[in-house]
Structures are given as structure tokens and as C-alpha cells.
Amino acid sequence: MRPFDARTTGEREDSLMRELGALEREARRSPALADALFERACALVPVMPLKVQIQTTTRCNAACAMCPYPVVTAEPGFDHAVMDEDRYLRILADLGGGEIERLSLFLMNEPLLDRRLPRWLARARAALPGTALGLFTNGAALDGRRARELAAAGLDELCVSVHGFDPATYERVMVGLSYERTRRHLDEVLEAAAAGELGAMHVQLVTGDVPEVAATRELAPLRYRDRIVLKGFSNERAAVGVDPGLVGGGCGDAGGALCHRPFVKLYILTTGDCVLCNVDWRRTVLLGRVGDADGPGVADVWHGAPYTAIRREHFTRAAARAAICSRCDYAAVVDRE
């Protein structure tokens, strides 16, 4: 597993995926036992998801070359939205009863465009004191002040996407953003960190592990270099039928790796709808809705029939409803050393 992904993988998830992988391989060797082995796999699924991502707004301010956002959000029928605060608080209350390891308030968006974020992070910290709170941002709306607000709210990990350390590469990949503006903001953030103003919040700069981007690391300021981590690009654009743009870092067929997402991670849109994963930009698979006043809880959706059916498709490698999974190389990208 890549170091970036290993850092966010806890012992429970690692152990679970090892057991599930062993059962899935046995099912491939003995197809007649597949149903019984899948039942054993279902018994291993945690009572609540180990990781949760919540989309508080659908907006983004960039058109990155590896991301479907600018295409999908411009299509007829797509409506931008923000999550209702009452829904968010009901979801937090529901999550408080489980052992959630990581909560991230971003999904298919630029989270810092939501000005409620520091307050919402503080509510999450109060509701889930033992849960790691993470955030991924393109950094355009980040500066020293915002970083201090996020740290004060209880954010544990701030990941800033910096795909290129020279203006030409950065602006070719992160279309619509300014490298010089991002550099100024990052300098403020790292100065605040050096002064101890961000407490224990971990700041890292995430760079795409593709040759044209990774090669620019040597151009990064020295103060950045020990914070840079490489992250493989999966083929999100190709998986949803969008021109590939920047070629990802995939490594072919994912037949050797069982995707962990349906077994450990829940993705919640602004509407409360639970989508298959962060590759399913067109929302082709919805697995239930959480946060309604009188609706099902997270555990109900997590163990409901739609989720069970998707897990069966993954376990048997027979994508039907989740056809998008047959076009996705995420599992292979993450599994790559």
C-alpha cells in the first residue's frame, strides 16, 4: 500500500480487509462456496463505517485536469446545493454512537468554500472526541487565518493538494488556480505551524504521483519538502466517461485487490443520500439517505439491502448495479507499493 494511504488506514481496517481478501480469494477458488463465504464476509463488516466523508457543499473553484467536476457539474440536471445544518447535526448524533475512526468534511468539492466549516468541525469534535478529523483542500481559499481557525476547531489533518511546484505545471493541472497565490497562502500556513499556532494539526502537501507532477518536487521550497507526500491518481474521469485529461497512476486490472470502500467507508452527499463512493460523480448508485428527522439511521443504511448487494458484487467480481466499479482502477492504485 502507498504510504499516503497507509497513513489513513487503521489496524481495524487493515485486519478486516485481510480477512475479507482471504475469503474472497477462497470464493474464487471454490465458486460453489461463494454464498456461504459471502455470509461470513458480511458478518465481519463493522457495525458502523470506520470512515465517513460528508459533503457540506457541492461547489469547487477549480477545474483540475484529473477531476470530473467541471464536466459533471455542467451537465443538465445537476443542481448545486449545501447541506442543511439540522441534517448535519442529526448525522453527527447518529455517528456518536459508533466507533468512527475518521471523519472528513469534504467530498467532490472544495470544502473551504463553505464558510460554516470551522463551526461544523467544532461540532464534530465535540460529538466525536476520539475520531480523527481530516480535510482535503486545493488551498486557494486557505491562508494563515483560516488555518488557525481550522486548528482551533479541532481539525487533526489538513491536506493541501499541490500538483506541481512550478507555475506552468501547477496551473496546467489545477486549472483556474494561481500558483503564486497558493504559494503565498502556504507560506502563511507553514509560518503559523512553525510558530506553534496550529497546535497538533498536521499539515501535508499532497502531490500527484505521475511523472510530470512528481518531477517538480525538486523545485519546491526547502520548507515544503518534508511535508510533501505522493498520492496516486485513480482514473476518476475515465470511470465516469469523461475525457481522461491528465493520465492517472493506475497499474492495470484491480483483480488482485478487493476495494475497501464498500466495507469500511460511507460517503454522504449534501442531501443526505449515501453514494457508492467519491468516484460515482453521477450518483449512479444511491444506497439510502441519512439525516432525515424520521428516517433511517447510519447503521440502518450501512447494513441495508442496497449496501449488501453492492458488497456482494464486489466480493464476486460481478459488477451489475455498480457497473462503474468495473471501470475504476482505485483499488489497484492504492494497493500499489
Side-chain angles (χ1 to χ4, degrees), residues 14 80 103 123 146 150 182 202 208 231 234 236 292 329:
D14 185 61
H80 282 290
L103 174 64
R123 299 297 294 262
R146 296 293 296 276
L150 296 172
T182 298
H202 179 67
K231 185 179 189 299
S234 63
E236 285 190 41
D292 287 339
D329 67 355

Side-chain angles (χ1 to χ4, degrees), residues 229-261:
V229 292
L230 292 178
K231 185 179 189 299
F233 290 147
S234 63
N235 63 340
E236 285 190 41
R237 288 174 66 105
V240 299
V242 174
D243 180 80
L246 184 68
V247 177
C251 50
D253 178 47
L258 185 66
C259 184
H260 70 281
R261 286 171 165 170

Side-chain angles (χ1 to χ4, degrees), residues 167-187:
T169 302
Y170 178 91
E171 292 172 11
R172 183 168 62 251
V173 177
M174 304 189 73
V175 178
L177 303 185
S178 162
Y179 179 70
E180 293 305 322
R181 175 187 172 91
T182 298
R183 274 282 307 271
R184 290 197 303 272
H185 288 177
L186 285 177
D187 288 345

Side-chain angles (χ1 to χ4, degrees), residues 32 38 45 52-53 56 64 67 69-70 88-91 119 127 151 153 166 183 222 281 291 295 301 329:
F38 178 67
V45 174
V52 177
Q53 280 187 239
T56 70
C64 296
C67 180
Y69 175 88
Y88 175 67
L89 294 177
R90 284 192 290 266
I91 292 171
R119 182 164 54 84
D166 67 281
R183 274 282 307 271
L222 290 176
W281 283 80
V301 170
D329 67 355

Side-chain angles (χ1 to χ4, degrees), residues 54-61 81-85 88 105-106 109-121 135 137 141 146 149-150 270:
I54 298 178
Q55 180 189 62
T56 70
T57 176
T58 58
R59 299 278 181 181
C60 186
N61 52 356
V82 296
M83 179 173 279
D84 176 77
E85 185 161 1
Y88 175 67
L105 298 190
F106 69 92
N109 68 345
E110 168 45 50
L112 293 185
L113 296 182
D114 189 340
R115 296 185 178 277
R116 305 170 300 177
L117 200 63
R119 182 164 54 84
W120 281 32
L121 281 167
L135 202 65
T137 173
R146 296 293 296 276
E149 288 178 349
L150 296 172
T270 57

